[in-house]
Structure formats: C-alpha cells, structure tokens
Amino acid sequence: MNRLSSKTALYLSIALSFVSILIGFGLSHGSRLYPWMGVILLPMLLLILLPLPFYSRDGYLVTCFIVIVVLAIIFRVYVYRYPASMIGLDPDGYAYWVQGVMETGSIAAVRDSFYLRAPIFEVFPAIIGLIAGVNAPTAIVVYPALTGLIFPLTAFLIVRRLTTDAWSKVAVVAAAIAGFCKVSTILSYQPIAQTFGVLQWCIILVLLLGYIQTRDSRRIVPIMLLFIAAIFTHKLPPTLIVALSVVFGGMIVAVNGLEKLDWAIPNYKKGISTSRVVFTVSLLSLILYIQYFHVGGLGIRMINRIVFLFQPGSESALYTPSPSYSNAVQIQTTVTSLLLRRGHGFVLLPLGGISGLILVVANRRDETVFAFAAVSVASLFILASLVDPSIGGVGRSLYVAEPVLAALVSIGFLRLLPSLFGSGRARTLLFSVGALLVGFIIVAQIVSVTVALPDRPTDYRTYLNNDELAGKRFANEHVTGDIATDSYYASEGTIRSISRHEKHEYQHFKLQFLFNSNMSALESRYLLIRPNVYLYRSSNGIYRITWDMNQKLSGRYNTVYTNGNSVLFDRGEKQIVS
C-alpha cells in the first residue's frame, strides 16, 4: 500500500485538527470550558505532528507551522471571549484603565503609580480600540492573539538559529510545544502587563540570538528600542534581559579567560569579545537603573523588601498558618493536584535544562551558550521566588523561559540524541526515545492547561456567568444603598460597566460571615450572593463553605431579586426576628 501523498496527508491533518477544535467549541458551548477545551488539544496537535516523520517537503512543514499558529490563536481568543465577563480580576482593572485612556485621550486614567509612568500595556489596546471602534475588553483580545502568534514563532526561530535547516521538523515540533505551554496560555486569555512585556522579551531574544550569530549591527537599534519599551511596560522582562546579559557575559568571559590560560575549550567557535560584553552589560544596567529608581520607585521598594527579609521574625510574616473556621473547610493541595497543576514545569524545565547543557557541550557556540543562559536566568528567578514569591513568582518566571525550553527540548531529543549514533538500529531507537520524551512533554503541558481552565468544578471559578452578571446589573441600576457580596463577585466588573467606564463599589463579606455563618458580622443593608458557588478564596487559600447561605438568608430577609444563580436580599425588613 502506497504512502499517502504529502498534500493529501496535509489536507487530512488540517481538516481533522480543525474538526477537533470545533468539537471542543460545541461541547463547551452553553456549559463550561473544562474539560473539553483542554481535552481536544491532544488529538488536535497529534493530528499535525504524527505525520511529520514521513514528510519532509518545505511546503508541508510551512503549512503545518501556519496551522499550529492559527490554532494557538483561535484557542486563546475563544477562551478569552467565552465567558460573560473577563477572566480573573487583574484584567478587569487593566480594561477599566484602557477604557479611560480611550475616553479621555490621556494616560492620567491609569490609576497606578508605576503604570502611570509605564503605560504601554494600556496605551496599545487603547489605540487598537479607537482605530477599530470597539470597547476596551474587546480591544484587549489583541494580547491572546499576539501570544498565539509570537510564542510558537519564537521557538521556531530559536531552533532555526541553533540548527542549520531553514525549515525543519524539529522547528515545527518546538512551535507546537511553545504554542500551548501552560503559563503563556493562561496569561494570554487572562492578560496582565507582564503578558506584553514577555512578548517584547521574546522578540528581543530572537534579535539578540541573530546578532550573536551574524554580528549584524542593524539589529542593535530595534533591540534597544524594544528594551526601552519593555521598561515602560513591566518590571520583570527588562530585569531578566539585564540578568541574561550578565549571565551570558559571565559565561563568555569565562570562555575567553580559559583561552588566555591555554585551557581553551576544544572546537569552541569564539565570537563575542570580553570588552563588548562588559560594554553591553553596563549600558543595559544603566537603563534598568532608570526604571528601578525613576519609573515608579521600584528600586526603593525592593531595597525595603530585602531589608525586611533579613529582619528577625520575617519568616512568620511571610508564612502565617491558616486559620480554621466552623463552616468552611480549606481545600488542601494533594500530591496529585500539585502534579496536575505544576507538571508542565516539573517536566519542561529539567528536560529543557538538560537539553540545553548537552547542546552547549556538543555544539560549542555562542548561540547555544546564550540559549542556555536564558534558561539559567529563568531558573534562578524560580529558585528566588520559592523563597519570596514577590520576586516574580514561580509560574511567571517559567513563563519567560517557555519558548526557549520548547526549542531546546525539541533540538535535544529529536536532533541531538539520535545523532549520537551515525546510523542503524541504535539511531532509530534513540529517535524513538526522543519522540516519546517530547510526547510526554506535550501531554504534560496539555494536562496542566486543562486543569488550569477557569471553571474547573473542583477549583475556584475565575469568571462570572450570564446570570451572575444579570444580578450585578440589576443591583447597579436599581439599588442605591450599600451592597455586600463575596470579594470576587464584588471586584469582577461587567463588560457593560467597563465599556461605560463606570465603577460600582461593593462591600466585601467579612470572613466571619462567609466562613462561620455569623449573621452579626453583616453590616450592609443589601446582600448579593451566588447560591450555587461554594468555593471562595481568602488570603490563606481556597475554602469550601459547608452551610447553605441562600437558605439561611432567605429565611431571615426579603428577596429583592433572584434568577437562580444570583440573589439579592434586603435586610431593611426582617421576615423572621429570631
């Protein structure tokens, strides 16, 4: 039986991949994103990647790459647009600022001391919204779309820089991994300022890698412009760029020093001089100093934080025990849930680091040292975040390394590992082992993406449904007194209020009421509850309440409004005194 032609296989793979994602759309429509929008990712990617070993034509590979990018964009945009509200609380605040910039034409609408001086994240979608004539929540869809494009493209270009093939199967696999890495997926449909900063970081990485390889001075201007733009976007990416220049520079200085001591690394393709490294590190550090001490005062806050960490008793302030409540049980983190949520990092980071180290030893070029340095810097920030999460956070530190790690594991396991043997059965066996490891990495990413979807039943839902928004709209339009509700419901804005640049203030339920059912803790006249929500977040974690809030309140107070998922009570007149 003859093999399918590459064109037939390509058309069949594309058709089935799009059928998979359409099935996911259909299964999630009207219910919830979890689990179907995660489950469909595996067959969708396998349908594209499994035929790759049998077809090598550039046209086939180019089309596969384009399809991966399109699917990455569609997935992110669909999840972003799926809920009736935005996902998460931070995007709400940013959208409110973006709408203010659109309406006033001034960055004064950004109500934050740092982002008022570093407003690029807010200004960019505001420009998009004004040009397209849409509101801020719609304009912000540019971030999930750009992430779906830039992350796979970054991994693809890194592979091209580290290998010799213009188009290769390895690059396509790297794009597939980077296109659906967990943290980049979450922070695209739940965009924050770091989302845009990391996109700038990705472009800078590719330009720096190209400069290191070609010494083309024309790349310096866009690199510096993007670095300055990153300073006025978010604090972490420019910090990482300087840290990367320091670590990479240190490695190059070490290589050059070994050569002067007649201990040169055999066959190392020397490129960058020590003087150039010192100049670059000094220049970038100077620019970063401007951000830390003249854009938002981050430097002073960091110094105060470091001083605090070394003070007696700081451990108890950072790690306080969780209180216990009579009518709420804290959701404990089990080993299984930890592996499901963090498995992407447990798999991708060590395997990517090992691949990078082997590649440095085998390749002996400045470009591979640079890629390994990028992973090393992210690893250092992850370790620091384990001590103090305010440094950047484990997930957000891994975020910046995801496209580099995707490239390194693809090269290491699909190109470098099989090359240990020239030909024959051993080479085939090693390629099979490498393919299994890459498949394991892809599965780990998809599992973590799936369990991180914002409406997993066993976790805290991070968006509002249509009924909950209807309840808030009724309260906003018909109630003039103070309204109390749970902290998430209070803070999550409606698309309508954001697009009108309206801010409605709600009081937050005290934990004595929410977790102890203590009615004396109620102060506001009106109470807005979500009767079908039992998981609530506090500063100490997620708790499941064990009492029926709706039943207890409806027995005491008048019901003003209800639609099944949102109930408004009036405490002005009690039905039952006791």
Side-chain angles (χ1 to χ4, degrees):
M1 180 174 165
N2 295 329
R3 290 193 311 176
L4 288 172
S5 69
S6 60
K7 186 177 291 187
T8 303
L10 177 63
Y11 291 156
L12 185 60
S13 297
I14 293 174
L16 292 175
S17 296
F18 279 99
V19 166
S20 296
I21 200 167
L22 288 174
I23 290 173
F25 291 167
L27 291 172
S28 64
H29 182 69
S31 55
R32 60 175 67 242
L33 292 165
Y34 179 90
W36 302 114
M37 284 309 297
V39 170
I40 55 97
L41 289 178
L42 185 59
M44 186 182 76
L45 288 177
L46 289 180
L47 286 166
I48 298 172
L49 298 179
L50 286 180
L52 279 181
F54 308 103
Y55 304 100
S56 302
R57 291 186 178 182
D58 286 354
Y60 181 88
L61 299 176
V62 171
T63 307
C64 284
F65 171 73
I66 293 172
V67 170
I68 287 169
V69 170
V70 170
L71 290 173
I73 293 172
I74 290 174
F75 178 84
R76 286 167 166 82
V77 170
Y78 179 80
V79 174
Y80 175 82
R81 297 290 295 173
Y82 175 86
S85 71
M86 300 186 74
I87 299 173
L89 294 179
D90 286 345
D92 276 63
Y94 287 119
Y96 185 78
W97 292 342
V98 171
Q99 190 68 41
V101 173
M102 291 170 60
E103 293 188 2
T104 64
S106 169
I107 61 171
V110 178
R111 302 296 185 181
D112 181 88
S113 60
F114 175 76
Y115 292 114
L116 182 60
R117 298 185 180 184
I120 291 181
F121 176 80
E122 292 80 18
V123 171
F124 180 59
I127 294 172
I128 299 293
L130 289 172
I131 294 173
V134 296
N135 58 29
T138 303
I140 290 175
V141 78
V142 67
Y143 289 124
L146 280 176
T147 306
L149 168 65
I150 291 178
F151 260 68
L153 181 60
T154 300
F156 182 89
L157 293 175
I158 290 173
V159 172
R160 287 189 61 180
R161 289 295 179 188
L162 300 181
T163 60
T164 55
D165 299 340
W167 287 95
S168 71
K169 301 171 185 179
V170 175
V172 174
V173 173
I177 297 173
F180 296 94
C181 281
K182 178 196 173 181
V183 187
S184 67
T185 302
I186 294 173
L187 292 184
S188 62
Y189 61 68
Q190 194 172 322
I192 56 176
Q194 188 184 340
T195 302
F196 198 25
V198 172
L199 297 182
Q200 294 163 341
W201 150 271
C202 288
I203 299 171
I204 291 173
L205 278 182
V206 173
L207 290 173
L208 282 171
L209 200 56
Y211 173 73
I212 291 168
Q213 186 177 51
T214 64
R215 308 296 186 273
D216 185 355
S217 59
R218 290 175 298 179
R219 299 176 189 271
I220 294 176
V221 173
I223 288 171
M224 295 306 299
L225 289 175
L226 281 168
F227 181 72
I228 293 170
I231 284 176
F232 291 96
T233 303
H234 192 268
K235 58 184 179 293
L236 185 58
T239 305
L240 287 167
I241 292 166
V242 173
L244 172 59
S245 68
V246 172
V247 172
F248 174 63
M251 292 179 178
I252 295 301
V253 169
V255 170
N256 294 341
L258 289 173
E259 184 178 14
K260 289 181 180 179
L261 294 172
D262 295 327
W263 294 344
I265 299 174
N267 301 321
Y268 187 88
K269 297 176 180 63
K270 182 184 174 184
I272 296 178
S273 65
T274 300
S275 59
R276 185 174 294 181
V277 167
V278 172
F279 173 77
T280 303
V281 171
S282 302
L283 179 61
L284 293 177
S285 299
L286 176 62
I287 298 174
L288 187 67
Y289 168 83
I290 295 172
Q291 183 201 46
Y292 269 67
F293 291 93
H294 298 281
V295 180
L298 288 170
I300 299 299
R301 293 205 295 271
M302 284 189 64
I303 291 171
N304 291 336
R305 184 69 177 176
I306 293 170
V307 170
F308 168 77
L309 288 174
F310 286 96
Q311 288 179 344
S314 62
E315 297 87 353
S316 60
L318 286 172
Y319 306 103
T320 55
S322 299
S324 59
Y325 298 99
S326 59
N327 286 300
V329 179
Q330 187 173 18
I331 303 298
Q332 300 296 328
T333 300
T334 63
V335 174
T336 302
S337 65
L338 181 66
L339 290 175
L340 289 175
R341 290 187 292 108
R342 303 290 188 185
H344 66 292
F346 293 148
V347 172
L348 185 61
L349 185 60
L351 291 181
I354 292 169
S355 296
L357 184 59
I358 295 173
L359 191 61
V360 167
V361 174
N363 217 344
R364 299 186 178 95
R365 293 189 298 163
D366 287 347
E367 301 93 288
T368 54
V369 172
F370 178 81
F372 181 68
V375 173
S376 301
V377 167
S379 300
L380 290 173
F381 271 78
I382 289 171
L383 291 174
S385 297
L386 291 173
V387 178
D388 183 3
S390 68
I391 289 174
V394 173
R396 295 188 184 189
S397 299
L398 179 62
Y399 179 25
V400 301
E402 284 180 338
V404 186
L405 290 168
L408 291 178
V409 295
S410 300
I411 297 171
F413 296 130
L414 298 180
R415 175 68 63 85
L416 190 60
L417 189 63
S419 69
L420 296 177
F421 290 88
S423 60
R425 187 173 298 177
R427 183 183 179 91
T428 303
L429 177 62
L430 287 176
F431 178 80
S432 301
V433 171
L436 287 173
L437 287 172
V438 169
F440 181 57
I441 290 168
I442 292 173
V443 170
Q445 300 305 308
I446 290 173
V447 169
S448 292
V449 168
T450 302
V451 299
L453 286 168
D455 53 10
R456 186 181 176 210
T458 56
D459 208 345
Y460 175 73
R461 175 158 56 87
T462 53
Y463 66 80
L464 302 181
N465 60 33
N466 286 309
D467 285 345
E468 291 167 347
L469 284 181
K472 287 200 78 171
R473 282 197 299 270
F474 180 88
N476 293 341
E477 294 171 4
H478 299 286
V479 177
T480 56
D482 287 343
I483 307 172
T485 186
D486 66 86
S487 60
Y488 185 81
Y489 203 11
S491 303
E492 184 73 75
T494 67
I495 301 295
R496 184 177 183 180
S497 64
I498 293 172
S499 62
R500 293 181 174 184
H501 202 232
E502 297 173 347
K503 201 95 170 182
H504 297 278
E505 298 295 335
Y506 287 78
Q507 303 300 315
H508 294 192
F509 284 147
K510 292 183 177 180
L511 296 184
Q512 292 92 325
F513 165 73
L514 194 60
F515 294 159
N516 286 332
S517 69
N518 184 352
M519 306 300 283
S520 63
L522 295 173
E523 296 177 350
S524 300
R525 173 173 175 174
Y526 296 96
L527 310 175
L528 184 63
I529 71 166
R530 297 182 288 166
N532 298 316
V533 173
Y534 298 95
L535 293 175
Y536 296 92
R537 182 183 294 276
S538 77
S539 59
N540 296 107
I542 298 174
Y543 288 80
R544 178 185 294 276
I545 61 172
T546 57
W547 62 292
D548 192 326
M549 191 185 309
N550 186 39
Q551 183 180 35
K552 189 165 185 176
L553 292 177
S554 61
R556 289 171 175 258
Y557 307 122
N558 289 322
T559 300
V560 178
Y561 171 90
T562 181
N563 61 22
N565 286 311
S566 181
V567 184
L568 179 66
F569 294 100
D570 181 0
R571 296 176 63 234
E573 295 182 7
K574 296 184 179 181
Q575 292 180 328
I576 299 176
V577 177
S578 59

